[in-house]
Structure formats: C-alpha cells, structure tokens
Amino acid sequence: MSFDMDMSEFHAIFFEEAGEHLASLESLLLELDRDNPDPEHLNAIFRAAHSIKGSSSTFGFPDMAAVTHDLETLLDRVRKQEMPLTDHIIDITLAARDVLLAQLAHHQGGEPVAAEVVEQLITEIRRLAASADDMVVAPAVAAPDTVAVAEPAEVVSESSAADVADAVDADPVVSVAAASVTAEPVRAQDKPGNVVKMPKASTASETSIRVSVEKVDQLINLVGELVITQSMLAQTAQVGMNSDDGLDHEKLNERLQQLERNTRELQESVMSIRMLPVSSVFNRFPRLVRDLAGKLGKQIELRTIGEATEIDRGVIEKITDPLTHLIRNSVDHGIETEAEREAAGKPVKGIVTLSAYHQGGSVVIDISDDGRGLNRDKLLSKARERGVPVAENPTDQDVWQLIFAPGFSTAEAVTDVSGRGVGMDVVKRNIEQLGGRVELNSVTGKGTTISIRLPLTLAIMDGMSVGIGDQTYIVPLTAIIESLRPQAEDVKSVASRGRVVYVRGEYLPLVALHEVFCLTPKTDRPEQGILIIVDTEAGRHALFVDELLGQRQVVIKSLESNYRKVPGISAATIMGDGSVSMILDVSEAVRLGKRSPLACAV
C-alpha cells in the first residue's frame, strides 16, 4: 500500500524551527572562546547544523541540505579536536549561516540565492574540512556580486526575523571569501553598486505567535469564570424581575464587581500572550557589533542585561530599527580607536551595554558605552555652522539634544557605517510615535547613555482623565510627575517665556490646554484650576486644566485609521458612557502651547 503525503503543510513548522536553529547557531558562535572553546558549545553548534540538514532533506529543500552537509563535516572535525578552532572557521560558519538564512527566505517567497555564492561557500568549507591545519588563510575567493534575499521582516521566527533584517539592511556587502576576517551580512544586488529592494515575503510568522499551554489553560479558566459570573448576573436580574421587592441592588453590585475583576484578569491574560522578551531583539546585536568592530578595527564587547524583560510584540517590532541605529552609533562614534583608548588610559577593549528593565508602567532600554562621550564645544560649533538655533547659555542637556536635530552630524567623513546626518531625528520621532521618549546623558571622555522609555503595550494604557471646558481628555500616566493647585502669587508672566509657575524651587512653563485646543474653559485662572506637571524631552512643563476626573485604564484606538491625524492628540478611547475622549500627545501639546492663542480665532 502506498500513498502520497503533501509535505507543504509541514513547511511552516520547518521554517520556524530552522530559523530558531540558525539564531542559536549564530549566538553560540559569537560566545565561543577561540583559544579555549567549550566542548558543549561546539556540540550544540554541530547539532544545530545537523538538525537543519536533516529537516531540510526531509521536507524537500536540497539547497539547504547541501550547505549544511559540508558545514556539518567541518564542525564535526572541530568538535572532535581533529583540527583547531580558528577565527576563519568561525567566520566561514557565520557566512554559511547567512546563506542558509537567505535560502530559507527564498523558500518563503523571496528571491533565490545566486548559485555561484553557494558554490564558492561550499568549496571553501570543503577546503577547510579537508585541511588538518587551517593556520594560514588561503588566497581570497572573489566575492560574488549577488546574494538575493527577501526584504527583512519576520521571515521565520521571532528570534531569527531580526537576523534576516540585519542580513539585508546592514551596509556592508556579504563576503564568503576565504580571506574575509569578518563574515559580513548578506545584501541583495543586481549589479555592482545597485541595491535591489526585494518584495517582502508573506509568512506565517507575521500573523502567528507561539503561546505556551499554560497561558492557554489560564485563558480557558478565566473564560469559565466569566461564564459563571454572567450566569449569576442573569439569575440576579431574573429573580429581581419576578420579585415584588425588585432587584437586590447589593447582590447586583457584588456580581458587577466580580464581573469587573474577571474582565481585568482576562484582559491581563490576553495581553500577556502578546508579550515577548526583548531578547528577541537583543539577540541580533552581538553579530552586528562583532561585524562593525572588525570593519572599524576596534575591539568591542557587547554586554546585555535584562533580556527576559517582556514588552508588547507590537512595540518590539517598531524598536528594532531605532536600536540598531543607536548601537551602530555607539560602535562607530562612541567607542574610540585602540590607540585613542590607550592614550586616554582606558582598556583597549571598549564596552557597549544594552539593558532593559521595567520602571512603573514603562519599559526602559538603555544603550551605554564607555567611549569618548559627546564633545560640547564641537556640538555647539556644528550647530552654529548649520544654523541650528541654540540658547544663549545652554545647559549640557540643551547641547546634547542638538544631535536630534534633522540632518545633524559631527562625523568628519561619510562612511558606509554612519555619518550622513540621517537617523537620530528619525530615531526620536519613531520612539515618540510609540508613546515613548528618548533621554541622553553624556560625560566627555567617559561615555554616553541613551535611555528609551516605552509603554508596555500599544493597546491599553493607564491615564488620568481631565476636564477642559465641556470636554474630557486623557493624559498618559507615564508622563505625569504630580498635580497641584498653585497659589496666585506663584504664577508669573515673563516677556520671553509667557506664563510660568513656581514649583519646588524652579519656574516651569505653563501651558493652558484650553488655548492649545481652542476650548472655552470653566476658568482661565490657574489658581482656580489644576496644574499637571509633566516630563517631556523639552523639560518639565505645567499643563493647566479645569479639573481632574480620575485615573483609569483605557483602550487605545487609532485616530488616523478611523478619522485623521489631530495635532496634539496621539489616539482616542471610548469611555464608559460611550463618549469618545482624546488621548493627549504630551510633547506635541507642549510644543503647540508655545503658539499664539490668536491661532484659535479662525
């Protein structure tokens, strides 16, 4: 008896597992101590290649099986100590990993990998495996012009999607040349110098998430509790309708409170399904730092802290590019050359630290380096040269903020790593669009730290409901420092700054939200209303509102997709009475507050 099996239904599983093996292969290679490799690490690297080879053959991907067949032979010789581990073996294995990732992307709808690339890679792997001593690097094999891969995104899995993005988006062109010291990421080209933008492959991973059985069981239990509570509410209502005494309001209120608890627990459980560890982003950076450090002739160690910190998948997808840019800046601009570090009395090896942690209702990601730090005089000189407005006696924080000006760069020369003056303003704008903010601290000669504060999720937020005239607005709780009612004598008018309020030893700019949104307030006197002290990238400000209505958790609804972009507003939410309230974009509202109130008279 014989039958035909359609293997295509298993391909999604293969794509995900192969992506995980390739991600593991890269991370293990980057952790290896070349002079004293851990045998268990070597075995794990071999097993990753062996697993890809076996599943590639089983599911009908002979191109991947061919690469891993010869790679497996090389790795087997290394793990059996038949040949020593060298930098070149690590480099060629990383290059093989890049080609396998490109092949995997091809099978998911991307462009095919050029045959000559695969042929040259396999030839070099076989040469190494056949040699008992790869102590001298062989003459370079000419690097081919083309390795076509699909547009980077979530091509295989949460962990390996990042790797594909690096493989295509990084500036250097891939090289599987024998003489290559660094196995650089893959790049798509049709002719030398012409980068091809490949169409994005549509994959299952873009619309699916791995969920643990425990989380599914928890959801089922919570839905069961919800059904029970609904049944109890229905019974209470039915008994009340049939009773001469009417509804038992105390019991009804008790059931409603139970429903609220169940709904909150269900909401938290559902949201936890979208939460992913930031390691899915962090895992791509060791390779990026290694490749860039080799290209720039620097010794750099990347340290990661808090990889298990969880954040919403939607946030993770959008912070990849900003983090990549900031890491590249730290490696290129932040860390000095070996000679400069020695002259400054620093260790030759620079340190870049990437850390994540929860703080309040936010996730904070810090990118720190122990490099040269920012040069205040150089930044001011560049700002004046480019006509960027600068305060008369700027503080250090004012000067550091200059790097976020559009097109601002202090690089002496444009390179393929950085220096085009494009990026830091985009980084800041992208983070703010996520409801986050960027903070920067630097000490000349000691290093720089950039902190990114992000919301845990893009779907739900904690906010303070405020009244302005007959309208209700939501102020994100993460932006609020405190609220107070000022004394009349604490509010002053300054010719160059408008109204300010004296709070805890300093004067803060006062922004009347009824002027920003052209509303008729219940009072125009701050001492009769409420001031909300908020923290923005432009410093602390006091927002003047009529009243506080209470703290609440709100579901975020996009205005742009349902209506249009509204200045000073980031999103909207639906209140308990069915009315729509606007969610404040605090930073933009502060900027708008500096306009003339006459702008409302239209």
Side-chain angles (χ1 to χ4, degrees):
M1 177 179 177
S2 65
F3 60 91
D4 295 326
M5 178 182 292
D6 182 8
M7 300 298 288
S8 62
E9 61 183 284
F10 300 104
H11 285 177
I13 299 173
F14 165 75
F15 294 150
E16 188 168 5
E17 291 183 348
E20 290 173 354
H21 286 312
L22 289 171
S24 174
L25 182 67
E26 180 182 75
S27 62
L28 288 167
L29 283 165
L30 296 175
E31 291 170 7
L32 275 177
D33 180 352
R34 190 201 66 180
D35 299 322
N36 188 26
D38 183 346
E40 278 305 310
H41 268 59
L42 291 176
N43 283 329
I45 291 169
F46 172 82
R47 285 195 300 271
H50 179 74
S51 297
I52 296 172
K53 171 193 167 185
S55 54
S56 297
S57 299
T58 301
F59 293 111
F61 301 107
D63 54 344
M64 297 180 67
V67 173
T68 46
H69 173 76
D70 289 292
L71 182 63
E72 180 187 47
T73 302
L74 174 63
L75 296 174
D76 190 39
R77 292 205 63 187
V78 174
R79 72 168 182 150
K80 289 178 179 177
Q81 298 185 346
E82 295 177 3
M83 60 189 304
L85 180 67
T86 66
D87 282 336
H88 187 46
I89 289 177
I90 295 175
D91 291 338
I92 205 68
T93 306
L94 285 170
R97 176 258 182 204
D98 287 342
V99 169
L100 287 166
L101 201 59
Q103 290 175 325
L104 191 64
H106 162 57
H107 294 304
Q108 293 178 275
E111 294 296 320
V113 181
E116 60 268 25
V117 171
V118 179
E119 183 181 344
Q120 289 180 338
L121 174 68
I122 291 176
T123 299
E124 179 57 18
I125 292 174
R126 287 175 179 172
R127 185 194 70 78
L128 286 174
S131 172
D133 51 14
D134 172 53
M135 306 318 96
V136 179
V137 178
V141 178
D145 288 334
T146 58
V147 176
V149 295
E151 167 75 5
E154 297 169 27
V155 181
V156 278
S157 67
E158 295 298 338
S159 57
S160 56
D163 304 322
V164 180
D166 285 344
V168 186
D169 195 47
D171 287 332
V173 179
V174 73
S175 173
V176 297
S180 174
V181 176
T182 303
E184 297 180 279
V186 197
R187 189 175 189 176
Q189 292 188 321
D190 58 350
K191 308 176 185 176
N194 293 336
V195 178
V196 180
K197 185 83 169 174
M198 297 300 178
K200 179 177 176 180
S202 176
T203 64
S205 67
E206 294 173 354
T207 55
S208 63
I209 307 175
R210 274 192 172 187
V211 181
S212 68
V213 175
E214 289 79 9
K215 287 188 176 182
V216 174
D217 289 342
Q218 184 182 21
L219 275 176
I220 293 172
N221 290 334
L222 288 172
V223 170
E225 292 291 328
L226 203 60
V227 170
I228 292 171
T229 303
Q230 185 270 336
S231 177
M232 294 168 69
L233 271 170
Q235 184 179 12
T236 301
Q238 185 65 37
V239 169
M241 290 171 61
N242 297 331
S243 171
D244 294 336
D245 297 330
L247 285 172
D248 184 337
H249 293 284
E250 183 177 345
K251 184 171 289 187
L252 179 63
N253 187 55
E254 180 184 324
R255 301 287 187 258
L256 287 172
Q257 289 179 355
Q258 179 65 39
L259 177 64
E260 182 180 356
R261 286 193 295 271
N262 290 344
T263 303
R264 172 63 69 93
E265 290 176 5
L266 183 61
Q267 168 194 303
E268 291 175 352
S269 182
V270 170
M271 293 307 302
S272 73
I273 290 176
R274 287 183 56 89
M275 303 298 279
L276 297 172
V278 294
S279 59
S280 58
V281 176
F282 283 14
N283 286 345
R284 77 188 59 193
F285 296 124
R287 174 72 181 280
L288 176 67
V289 170
R290 179 185 188 274
D291 289 350
L292 289 179
K295 183 179 184 66
L296 297 169
K298 298 178 180 179
Q299 292 187 43
I300 300 177
E301 176 186 349
L302 176 67
R303 296 176 180 173
T304 55
I305 302 170
E307 300 98 318
T309 303
E310 290 191 331
I311 191 170
D312 187 275
R313 170 184 172 141
V315 178
I316 281 182
E317 291 169 352
K318 291 179 173 63
I319 62 171
T320 299
D321 288 344
L323 283 181
T324 300
H325 183 86
L326 294 174
I327 291 287
R328 292 169 74 91
N329 264 7
S330 289
V331 172
D332 189 21
H333 295 302
I335 302 296
E336 310 96 326
T337 63
E338 294 181 15
E340 289 173 328
R341 292 183 69 86
E342 283 183 324
K346 293 182 176 182
V348 172
K349 179 180 285 187
I351 304 294
V352 176
T353 304
L354 188 59
S355 61
Y357 54 93
H358 287 125
Q359 191 176 80
S362 304
V363 171
V364 180
I365 299 177
D366 291 338
I367 304 96
S368 306
D369 64 66
D370 66 345
R372 58 173 59 93
L374 296 177
N375 187 310
R376 177 186 171 94
D377 294 337
K378 189 174 182 179
L379 285 170
L380 287 172
S381 174
K382 282 286 185 181
R384 295 187 181 101
E385 179 185 315
R386 294 176 178 272
V388 177
V390 181
E392 189 172 332
N393 293 303
T395 64
D396 283 347
Q397 277 300 321
D398 291 334
V399 176
W400 305 154
Q401 290 297 318
L402 290 173
I403 70 169
F404 294 110
F408 192 88
S409 175
T410 58
E412 299 296 338
V414 172
T415 69
D416 59 359
V417 176
S418 59
R420 298 181 184 276
V422 178
M424 291 303 286
D425 60 318
V426 177
V427 167
K428 185 178 181 181
R429 185 166 64 249
N430 289 347
I431 295 301
E432 289 179 348
Q433 285 175 350
L434 292 174
R437 66 177 187 268
V438 184
E439 299 170 356
L440 189 150
N441 288 290
S442 185
V443 178
T444 304
K446 300 292 184 181
T448 301
T449 297
I450 296 179
S451 296
I452 298 175
R453 184 177 297 273
L454 296 158
L456 281 173
T457 175
L458 299 180
I460 295 174
M461 61 166 279
D462 289 313
M464 179 64 71
S465 181
V466 302
I468 309 171
D470 59 355
Q471 299 293 316
T472 300
Y473 287 78
I474 305 295
V475 182
L477 212 58
T478 53
I480 298 176
I481 299 174
E482 62 177 319
S483 59
L484 53 90
R485 173 165 286 171
Q487 299 296 320
E489 59 268 21
D490 291 334
V491 180
K492 310 287 184 183
S493 291
V494 180
S496 60
R497 299 178 61 187
R499 283 193 294 181
V500 297
V501 59
Y502 188 75
V503 178
R504 305 191 189 285
E506 65 175 320
Y507 283 97
L508 303 180
L510 190 152
V511 176
L513 290 184
H514 66 266
E515 294 178 357
V516 173
F517 298 113
C518 304
L519 301 172
T520 302
K522 293 180 180 178
T523 177
D524 59 359
R525 299 177 62 180
E527 67 272 15
Q528 295 179 356
I530 293 290
L531 296 185
I532 301 173
I533 311 303
V534 294
D535 192 12
T536 73
E537 75 278 0
R540 296 200 298 167
H541 287 69
L543 303 182
F544 172 32
V545 301
D546 289 336
E547 57 185 333
L548 298 183
L549 301 177
Q551 181 179 330
R552 65 184 67 214
Q553 196 171 59
V554 298
V555 178
I556 300 171
K557 300 291 184 182
S558 170
L559 264 185
E560 293 187 56
S561 59
N562 295 297
Y563 178 52
R564 62 178 174 82
K565 173 66 177 172
V566 178
I569 300 299
S570 63
T573 189
I574 299 174
M575 307 297 282
D577 61 358
S579 63
V580 175
S581 290
M582 300 295 151
I583 300 174
L584 205 65
D585 182 332
V586 175
S587 295
E588 188 177 2
V590 165
R591 288 194 294 270
L592 292 173
K594 297 177 181 178
R595 70 183 181 179
S596 168
L598 295 177
C600 293
V602 292

